[in-house]
Amino acid sequence: MNFILIAVTVLGAIGIIAALVLYVCSKRFAVYEDPRLAQVNELLPGANCGGCGFAGCGGMADALVKGADAGSLEGLNCPVGGSEVMTRVADLLGMAIAQGEPKVAVVRCNGSCVSRPRIAEYGGLRSCAVMNACCAGETACGFGCLGCGDCVAACQFDAIHLNPETNLPEVDDDKCTACGACTKACPRGIIELRKKGIKGRRVFVSCVNKDKGAVSMKACKVSCIGCGKCVRECKFEAITLGQNLSYIDADKCRLCRKCVEACPTHAIRAVNFPAPKPVEPKPEEGKEVTA
């Protein structure tokens, strides 16, 4: 009986000592967490898409709180939540934010099955990353879309799909959050985040082929050939030519679309513009027009 009492007493003493040690350690090594972190994290959409440049919404919340303490939220933006979420976060932190223009993913490849015919057949894993790593793809263009849909799989918002007729990805402007997941998934860098534009209107070169004109035309009928006609046509210096490829600066572009008309290969696309009005034929001279 004495042995039992001694054992119980010893165990009880050990438990009390361990509890005191744990209590002291918890107080001594306690890590303070700013209560604003949880509040900001609740305001964020929780997509954890990485579009903000951080691994998840927790990292973004931490950066926002630290930015508020430093006196600036510049460069911090949640593409999924947009200006509405960022305004609420700024109000919570007592800060002001600069409203940036909304962006959208743009596919810079116009080479459909008709314009860019298949010259080979790939029988491996249907992945753009794998296909790009082991060969040039199924067409003669070593720069264009591979059509395996890595961008579609990467999108968490169902905003991008492959067109079964052209085998090219198409972006739904209303669903796209400009998180950048598709741009990272594309091994050839044909998807770019560009300004959405007024009424969703934008003009861009739908090609990334850097081969010389004759070579690129053999691979794709609608590729940029680096002729420079668009550069000479633009009065706003919005178009530059480098490595046999034209590029339109969205900040300088005034959406006049003269470059679209000047492009001989139709490599420049104008999106969401109204259809041009039909031109009525002028009456021939000497003939009367009757109502």
Side-chain angles (χ1 to χ4, degrees):
M1 190 70 178
N2 292 332
F3 291 108
I4 297 174
L5 289 173
I6 293 171
V8 171
T9 303
V10 171
L11 289 174
I14 292 173
I16 293 172
I17 294 170
L20 289 171
V21 171
L22 289 173
Y23 176 78
V24 172
C25 289
S26 67
K27 293 296 182 181
R28 175 68 179 80
F29 301 105
V31 178
Y32 170 76
E33 182 175 299
D34 195 319
R36 294 176 298 172
L37 283 172
Q39 295 172 346
V40 172
N41 208 7
E42 267 190 44
L43 292 176
L44 296 176
N48 295 315
C49 60
C52 58
F54 299 93
C57 291
M60 177 62 168
D62 183 58
L64 286 166
V65 171
K66 288 180 179 177
D69 291 339
S72 174
L73 298 180
E74 187 176 353
L76 298 173
N77 180 54
C78 174
V80 178
S83 59
E84 182 181 347
V85 168
M86 289 305 298
T87 300
R88 282 188 286 171
V89 170
D91 290 341
L92 173 66
L93 298 175
M95 299 291 293
I97 58 169
Q99 297 291 343
E101 290 189 45
K103 293 186 176 182
V104 68
V106 168
V107 180
R108 293 186 58 204
C109 181
N110 207 24
S112 63
C113 302
V114 177
S115 305
R116 189 169 47 120
R118 180 187 296 182
I119 61 170
E121 186 172 350
Y122 173 75
L125 181 66
R126 297 302 296 180
S127 165
C128 298
V130 175
M131 186 186 290
N132 185 63
C134 65
C135 67
E138 296 179 321
T139 68
C141 180
F143 297 88
C145 178
L146 292 164
C148 294
D150 285 18
C151 53
V152 178
C155 182
Q156 299 183 36
F157 307 99
D158 194 37
I160 186 166
H161 298 93
L162 285 178
N163 186 315
E165 295 182 3
T166 63
N167 203 37
L168 292 173
E170 294 180 350
V171 179
D172 186 333
D173 290 7
D174 296 328
K175 292 182 179 179
C176 181
T177 61
C179 68
C182 56
T183 64
K184 296 173 185 175
C186 180
R188 291 190 166 177
I190 69 164
I191 304 179
E192 177 190 3
L193 294 181
R194 292 181 67 89
K195 289 183 178 180
K196 199 169 185 177
I198 302 172
K199 296 182 180 180
R201 297 173 184 175
R202 50 195 177 274
V203 178
F204 60 94
V205 180
S206 186
C207 181
V208 294
N209 195 325
K210 296 178 181 177
D211 285 331
K212 291 185 178 180
V215 178
S216 62
M217 277 297 289
K218 286 182 180 179
C220 180
K221 296 177 183 178
V222 291
S223 67
C224 176
I225 57 176
C227 64
K229 288 185 177 181
C230 55
V231 179
R232 293 189 292 272
E233 190 67 32
C234 183
K235 297 179 180 179
F236 307 102
E237 298 183 351
I239 308 177
T240 54
L241 180 63
Q243 293 183 301
N244 306 308
L245 181 66
S246 294
Y247 182 80
I248 300 176
D249 187 339
D251 292 326
K252 295 181 179 180
C253 180
R254 295 295 179 267
L255 305 178
C256 67
R257 292 179 288 168
K258 290 185 178 180
C259 58
V260 179
E261 300 170 5
C263 181
T265 62
H266 306 290
I268 302 179
R269 290 190 61 195
V271 182
N272 294 329
F273 285 88
K277 295 180 179 179
V279 180
E280 296 182 1
K282 295 182 180 180
E284 294 181 16
E285 293 183 5
K287 289 188 177 182
E288 295 181 0
V289 179
T290 55

